[in-house]
């Protein structure tokens, strides 16, 4: 029985993960991946504009940090348990770190223990979906609807009311706490 539980746990981790460039975390010699790109350096970042962007990867590479570029533009994945939003429970809004598009509300976040921040509901105007057959698995990739950046994957093993689990990379997310939003009004 313990063997079956261990096997199920390993399969769950593999379903979320598609790590292909472990050198990312070695570049910073850190245990977490964080976005070092500031919004001021990114002329495409806006939390209000939903206009579809058509920016070539060569331009994104100049703007984004290596960690963000690898995940968002090359569909890499941060290592499980290393993301800053994995065990994070502040109230607020989650945006695409690349373009500022709204993705999730914090009250749809839950503890899935898969190693990545998980949500049971996404902003329908914020995300798009694409079939992903990489690594011999059939999955659904979640992309930012505005800039087509890779965010993570969605699975049908989440909690009610939706039954879905959006397994996201922290490095792809930008969080704004409710207290900051209230102060800016």
């Amino acid at each position: 029985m313990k063997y079956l539980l261990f096997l199920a746990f390993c399969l769950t981790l593999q379903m979320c993960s598609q790590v292909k460039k472990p050198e990312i975390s070695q570049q910073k010699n850190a245990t977490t991946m964080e976005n070092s790109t500031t919004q001021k350096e990114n002329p495409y970042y806006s939390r209000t504009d939903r206009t579809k962007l058509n920016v070539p990867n060569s331009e994104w590479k100049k703007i984004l940090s290596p960690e963000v570029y690898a995940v968002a533009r090359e569909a890499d994945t941060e290592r499980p348990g290393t993301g800053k939003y994995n065990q994070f429970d502040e109230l607020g809004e989650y945006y695409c770190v690349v373009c500022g598009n709204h993705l999730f509300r914090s009250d749809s976040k839950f503890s899935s223990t898969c190693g990545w921040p998980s949500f049971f509901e996404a902003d329908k105007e914020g995300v798009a979906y694409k079939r992903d057959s990489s690594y011999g698995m059939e999955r659904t990739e979640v992309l930012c609807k505005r800039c087509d950046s890779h965010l993570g994957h969605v699975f049908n093993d989440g909690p009610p009311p939706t039954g879905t689990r959006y397994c996201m990379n922290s490095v792809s997310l930008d969080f704004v706490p409710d207290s900051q939003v209230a102060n800016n009004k």
Side-chain angles (χ1 to χ4, degrees):
M1 184 64 171
K2 288 181 182 178
Y3 176 76
L4 289 175
L5 289 173
F6 177 75
L7 184 61
F9 175 74
C10 290
L11 287 173
T12 301
L13 284 179
Q14 183 182 13
M15 286 173 51
C16 281
S17 177
Q18 63 175 9
V19 177
K20 62 182 179 185
K21 292 187 180 176
E23 67 272 7
I24 291 172
S25 60
Q26 294 169 358
Q27 289 173 355
K28 291 180 77 177
N29 290 327
T31 57
T32 63
M33 292 179 68
E34 293 194 22
N35 175 18
S36 59
T37 304
T38 65
Q39 295 159 12
K40 291 177 184 175
E41 298 167 347
N42 184 345
Y44 305 104
Y45 192 95
S46 172
R47 292 194 188 131
T48 56
D49 188 356
R50 293 230 175 188
T51 306
K52 181 78 171 164
L53 294 172
N54 188 17
V55 178
N57 279 342
S58 58
E59 179 72 11
W60 285 127
K61 195 164 197 163
K62 294 175 191 173
I63 298 168
L64 304 174
S65 70
E67 295 84 3
V68 172
Y69 183 84
V71 172
R73 306 310 303 171
E74 297 179 333
D76 201 354
T77 299
E78 63 193 7
R79 291 180 300 124
T82 63
K84 62 183 173 182
Y85 299 125
N86 183 38
Q87 296 180 354
F88 182 83
D89 61 359
E90 272 192 62
L91 293 177
E93 305 292 337
Y94 289 88
Y95 298 88
C96 174
V97 76
V98 174
C99 71
N101 195 31
H102 186 263
L103 304 170
F104 301 98
R105 172 77 190 142
S106 64
D107 55 13
S108 69
K109 189 174 186 292
F110 69 100
S111 177
S112 69
T113 67
C114 71
W116 292 270
S118 297
F119 301 84
F120 61 80
E121 185 174 46
D123 181 337
K124 290 174 180 52
E125 300 301 315
V127 299
Y129 305 94
K130 183 174 116 180
R131 182 177 174 210
D132 179 1
S133 300
S134 63
Y135 302 98
M137 295 181 276
E138 285 298 318
R139 300 178 292 175
T140 303
E141 181 181 10
V142 181
L143 304 166
C144 172
K145 203 174 213 177
R146 182 170 182 240
C147 69
D148 292 325
S149 288
H150 172 79
L151 303 170
H153 291 87
V154 64
F155 303 96
N156 292 323
D157 61 359
T162 63
T164 55
R165 173 174 54 96
Y166 289 84
C167 187
M168 302 291 101
N169 290 285
S170 288
V171 75
S172 295
L173 303 174
D174 185 21
F175 178 78
V176 177
D178 282 349
S179 59
Q180 187 177 338
V181 174
N183 291 338
N184 290 337
K185 286 185 177 180

